[in-house]
Amino acid sequence: MATTENMSITPEAAEAAGDFYTYVEGVGNIPRDIYKHVKSDPLGDLPRYSIHIVTQHFLTFISFLILAATGLTLHFADLWWASFAISLFGGAETGRLIHRISAIVMVAASVYHLVTIIGGTISKSMRKRFDIKRTQIPLPKDLQDIIHDFRYFIGKEPYRPKMEKFMYKQKLHYLAILWGTFVLISAGSMLLFPEKMATILPNPVFFQDLARLLHADEAVMAITVVVFWHWSNVHLVPGRFPLQWSFITGRITREHQIEEHFLEYLNNLKEIPEEREYMKKILREKGLETY
Amino acid sequence: MRELKITSVTLPTFTLVLSLLMIFLTPDVYSADIGNCLLCHKYPGLSRVDEKGKLRLLYINEDIFNNSVHAKVKCEGCHLDIQKIPHDPAKKVDCLAECHIKEPSSEQKFSHKDIEKTVAMSVHSKYDKDGKEKKFSEDLPTCKECHDEPLYRPISFFKQVRAGISELSLSRCKSCHKKEDFIYKFYNHVTSRMHRTRNPLNIAESCSRCHDDLQIIKRHNLSAKAAFSYGETFHGKAARFMDERIPDCLDCHVKKGDASHLMLSKENPESAIHEKNKGKICASIDCHPSASPKLAKYGVHSEFSLDRSPAQYYFTVFFIILTGGTLLPLMGIILLDLIRKLFPNAMIRRRK
């Protein structure tokens, strides 16, 4: 198996290692496992999220947590802890009010997000800098990545796939959030404006029942996904624990970028001269520079 | 006056207390005045094991009794058959008996007979329209099946509406009335009636013993587990949280201005829940004043079981499968990822 330690780096060797090296103009042959040797600031080295996205994440996760706490308490009113929890929110009436206010915050954050995403896409397209590979849109490559990653997990591949800015896990999660927010907001509005909905919908009784079920079921699902999937994947796994600071700094660590978003790292090399210098220096230190 | 199950603790205690009682009871006590029931019944251990093997606590807590709506009724005003002390096993109390109290506005001996008439006009009557006894009439509630001994629930309005007696209001009564007892009793008497004696959860619980009983539901062709389904909606959830502003069973099932007991079948055009009257309940001034009759279309007794609402039921199942179906594979990936992190260099290689 090819690793940085046991390969002396002549162009022929690079050729022979195939996928292992990626040649970058002006930097050299970058071995796939270089992330094990780079320095990383836990607060993040490379840009990933704009201040808008960071703000949206903040608004969303705070309102989400409050919605989940008040919502679960109301939904599971008959469980023993619910009456304690509801006193925290100041009773059923106030609990509902808090739930609704947080809902407004979340809707606002979602609208803000749509505006940023659509606006950003338009402005990038105008400057001819839009690149579909750097978006959350699922592409056939993601399927290949899943297969590749799966093979890696069971030990049939030596390295993770080279992935874009958003890898398949994140795309799945993003889609789930889009769908979940859509369902929760529409079902929630049906519950909030029963009269309006009775005039709009063809079979209000059925839809009201449906909304009641949907809102609760979808919320429970969203909470499970956030706890067991998002938190464990993003913040709790070894290497990321206790938190991945990207959600505050908007920056990603170098190590993480190279390991999971290698192709985006190549973009970084193109766009950030200092990063090129840094990579060159590392390659030189490891005796890996190409002549 | 609840029935208690015998436990290994209560039985010995009971025997002990009873024997102590026997020792201390002098002949003097035996000849006690008939009214002085608490002489014996104030002892917390006074209890007996009945024929069914259940422990019956015969202890009367004086404080609780004195705060109950019947505080002014003497014991033998209800336990009419107890004429001498020591007494024989007592008969069941009849709520409709005339007690020794006079209703002051009419000076007539007081009884709850009028309420029985109302119950007889309601859906809970044991007899149908033609006066014939209904099938399974034993399922229909008697007074004591819906009522336990209620306590006073006074409220005060002095500055703000709040539970309990306001010292400030009491002190005002004192400027004219002299007897503390009198003031206290009538303050309780009047203010307790200015809202429900029971909170919505209590009321729902008292109906649930029959209306969540699947056999009774089946026998009487009812379609909903009424108290359970109430608990599934926000009304019932808020009731769980002791909110008293939400509607309880009677707010919807008794027409405004009718007596509390006049609950009628939804088929009865006079009933509050009849198709054409429903809208008015929702639009009540305390609830959804601007509601149109459309709001009343929504199910207040929604229950998402397979036989009642298959579409909703399958929908829930679909969602559970969807949750499990997305979450489990994703969790699988995380697990694999973790394991792989523990063995970063492990490789399955084909030997060359």
Side-chain angles (χ1 to χ4, degrees):
Chain A
M1 171 174 90
T3 67
T4 354
E5 279 82 6
N6 63 15
M7 292 291 292
S8 70
I9 186 75
T10 57
E12 304 83 68
E15 185 68 39
D19 227 12
F20 184 65
Y21 290 103
T22 309
Y23 181 74
V24 176
E25 194 60 50
V27 179
N29 272 317
I30 301 175
R32 184 69 187 93
D33 66 351
I34 192 70
Y35 60 86
K36 292 178 183 158
H37 308 282
V38 296
K39 263 220 306 278
S40 280
D41 177 356
L43 295 183
D45 311 280
L46 300 163
R48 182 165 174 84
Y49 300 122
S50 74
I51 179 77
H52 298 292
I53 302 286
V54 171
T55 316
Q56 285 150 17
H57 180 265
F58 251 97
L59 292 176
T60 313
F61 95 77
I62 290 171
S63 59
F64 182 87
L65 290 180
I66 299 176
L67 282 163
T70 45
L72 283 180
T73 308
L74 290 170
H75 186 59
F76 293 108
D78 48 348
L79 300 188
W80 64 268
W81 50 265
S83 46
F84 299 102
I86 201 74
S87 352
L88 267 174
F89 306 121
E93 277 295 317
T94 328
R96 287 164 92 195
L97 190 67
I98 298 175
H99 194 81
R100 287 165 188 197
I101 294 172
S102 330
I104 293 173
V105 174
M106 184 176 263
V107 172
S110 310
V111 172
Y112 181 14
H113 181 65
L114 286 183
V115 170
T116 343
I117 292 295
I118 296 171
T121 307
I122 293 174
S123 107
K124 278 200 185 121
S125 309
M126 305 242 283
R127 288 181 284 141
K128 298 243 176 333
R129 285 185 44 210
F130 179 73
D131 182 357
I132 195 166
K133 287 194 236 133
R134 294 174 86 178
T135 67
Q136 289 272 22
I137 300 168
L139 297 170
K141 172 157 190 313
D142 295 307
L143 203 62
Q144 293 167 14
D145 289 347
I146 295 183
I147 297 170
H148 186 138
D149 225 1
F150 193 75
R151 286 173 57 84
Y152 166 75
F153 292 145
I154 60 174
K156 291 210 159 193
E157 292 280 350
Y159 293 105
R160 307 284 304 261
K162 297 173 182 168
M163 291 178 284
E164 296 284 356
K165 178 164 182 183
F166 299 107
M167 63 183 286
Y168 63 90
K169 280 189 198 171
Q170 289 153 341
K171 290 187 179 179
L172 264 175
H173 192 57
Y174 187 74
L175 284 183
I177 292 177
L178 280 189
W179 160 248
T181 325
F182 170 72
V183 171
L184 282 169
I185 292 179
S186 37
S189 343
M190 266 192 244
L191 297 175
L192 189 55
F193 306 111
E195 280 245 37
K196 286 263 157 27
M197 291 299 161
T199 35
I200 299 169
L201 294 170
N203 183 351
V205 181
F206 178 76
F207 278 103
Q208 185 73 2
D209 279 357
L210 214 60
R212 206 162 353 181
L213 276 172
L214 254 181
H215 196 72
D217 291 349
E218 179 66 33
V220 170
M221 177 148 107
I223 292 163
T224 355
V225 168
V226 164
V227 173
F228 289 107
W229 169 246
H230 183 67
W231 287 356
S232 48
N233 230 333
V234 178
H235 296 304
L236 302 180
V237 287
R240 312 270 155 76
F241 188 82
L243 279 177
Q244 203 183 142
W245 297 106
S246 315
F247 81 105
I248 298 177
T249 60
R251 303 176 76 76
I252 185 169
T253 66
R254 185 174 284 120
E255 180 194 350
H256 184 183
Q257 184 83 315
I258 301 177
E259 186 188 356
E260 286 198 341
H261 309 289
F262 190 74
L263 300 179
E264 177 66 9
Y265 185 68
L266 297 184
N267 289 331
N268 289 152
L269 286 178
K270 252 186 246 146
E271 287 161 8
I272 311 169
E274 298 84 45
E275 189 58 29
R276 266 201 303 273
E277 290 312 309
Y278 175 81
M279 192 31 75
K280 259 198 220 154
K281 199 180 97 205
I282 288 283
L283 292 180
R284 203 173 308 126
E285 273 168 20
K286 295 276 156 198
L288 287 174
E289 55 197 326
T290 6
Y291 301 100
Chain B
M1 298 180 214
R2 270 202 209 121
E3 284 177 326
L4 295 172
K5 269 237 159 36
I6 302 181
T7 64
S8 50
V9 186
T10 45
L11 195 57
T13 350
F14 146 72
T15 331
L16 183 75
V17 173
L18 205 64
S19 25
L20 278 178
L21 216 83
M22 290 307 161
I23 297 168
F24 289 115
L25 288 181
T26 60
D28 200 31
V29 173
Y30 276 94
S31 60
D33 186 27
I34 163 92
N36 207 352
C37 313
L38 288 175
L39 196 67
C40 304
H41 285 281
K42 71 178 174 197
Y43 290 101
L46 191 62
S47 50
R48 183 164 65 97
V49 182
D50 71 6
E51 307 77 46
K52 289 184 198 136
K54 284 216 171 126
L55 184 75
R56 282 169 61 196
L57 201 56
L58 306 177
Y59 155 62
I60 304 295
N61 182 318
E62 204 176 343
D63 264 356
I64 294 181
F65 183 77
N66 286 338
N67 276 307
S68 76
V69 297
H70 291 125
K72 214 185 149 196
V73 185
K74 293 220 170 62
C75 310
E76 59 273 28
C78 290
H79 297 280
L80 293 168
D81 53 320
I82 298 183
Q83 307 280 1
K84 61 173 199 305
I85 301 285
H87 59 81
D88 300 327
K91 291 209 189 78
K92 288 277 166 220
V93 170
D94 174 9
C95 301
L96 305 177
E98 284 182 347
C99 50
H100 295 288
I101 286 184
K102 278 200 183 131
E103 196 275 303
S105 68
S106 63
E107 294 284 323
Q108 299 221 316
K109 274 197 159 180
F110 185 72
S111 98
H112 288 311
K113 283 209 176 87
D114 286 345
I115 292 180
E116 193 196 24
K117 284 185 208 137
T118 317
V119 174
M121 289 191 292
S122 80
V123 68
H124 288 131
S125 165
K126 288 196 191 304
Y127 302 93
D128 61 16
K129 281 196 295 285
D130 315 321
K132 274 195 294 184
E133 187 161 340
K134 282 186 192 165
K135 262 202 234 158
F136 307 111
S137 66
E138 67 280 5
D139 288 345
L140 289 152
T142 59
C143 313
K144 284 187 285 187
E145 275 170 318
C146 288
H147 286 284
D148 45 15
E149 170 83 314
L151 297 180
Y152 279 126
R153 278 205 333 151
I155 41 177
S156 75
F157 312 89
F158 204 82
K159 287 280 181 201
Q160 272 176 23
V161 181
R162 61 174 58 149
I165 288 179
S166 149
E167 282 301 319
L168 292 165
S169 317
L170 273 189
S171 64
R172 295 183 116 199
C173 314
K174 276 183 204 153
S175 58
C176 299
H177 297 291
K178 293 296 160 246
K179 269 199 180 155
E180 290 252 349
D181 263 12
F182 170 92
I183 297 170
Y184 192 79
K185 191 169 72 204
F186 280 106
Y187 185 97
N188 267 327
H189 177 89
V190 173
T191 57
S192 289
R193 265 70 182 197
M194 298 191 152
H195 60 150
R196 286 233 192 272
T197 332
R198 293 167 178 76
N199 65 34
L201 183 60
N202 272 175
I203 294 184
E205 276 168 352
S206 79
C207 314
S208 73
R209 60 185 292 184
C210 300
H211 284 288
D212 282 353
D213 181 325
L214 286 174
Q215 271 163 348
I216 291 186
I217 292 174
K218 209 164 143 215
R219 276 204 289 272
H220 296 268
N221 279 328
L222 300 171
S223 55
K225 280 206 273 175
F228 168 80
S229 55
Y230 170 71
E232 289 288 280
T233 65
F234 183 76
H235 292 150
K237 290 180 196 292
R240 285 239 167 245
F241 294 135
M242 300 299 156
D243 195 319
E244 301 207 7
R245 281 175 294 178
I246 47 91
D248 58 45
C249 313
L250 299 193
D251 287 322
C252 295
H253 284 286
V254 177
K255 261 203 199 150
K256 274 232 167 98
D258 276 353
S260 307
H261 298 94
L262 205 55
M263 303 160 216
L264 300 172
S265 162
K266 65 177 175 205
E267 265 103 54
N268 187 332
E270 288 300 309
S271 83
I273 54 167
H274 187 264
E275 216 41 64
K276 70 176 178 24
N277 301 337
K278 272 200 302 192
K280 283 186 218 129
I281 327 173
C282 310
S284 152
I285 183 89
D286 295 322
C287 303
H288 310 276
S290 56
S292 71
K294 284 203 188 91
L295 191 69
K297 288 218 179 81
Y298 295 136
V300 283
H301 288 291
S302 308
E303 194 189 318
F304 305 119
S305 59
L306 182 53
D307 40 332
R308 272 206 79 200
S309 26
Q312 288 89 331
Y313 178 84
Y314 284 118
F315 200 76
T316 318
V317 172
F318 165 73
F319 248 83
I320 292 169
I321 293 174
L322 189 67
T323 312
T326 30
L327 209 58
L328 289 179
L330 294 183
M331 299 286 295
I333 295 184
I334 297 184
L335 193 71
L336 285 174
D337 194 354
L338 266 178
I339 295 175
R340 182 69 212 215
K341 280 210 165 82
L342 293 179
F343 307 101
N345 294 321
M347 274 294 289
I348 301 175
R349 261 193 301 171
R350 246 175 274 145
R351 271 167 218 278
K352 283 197 185 144

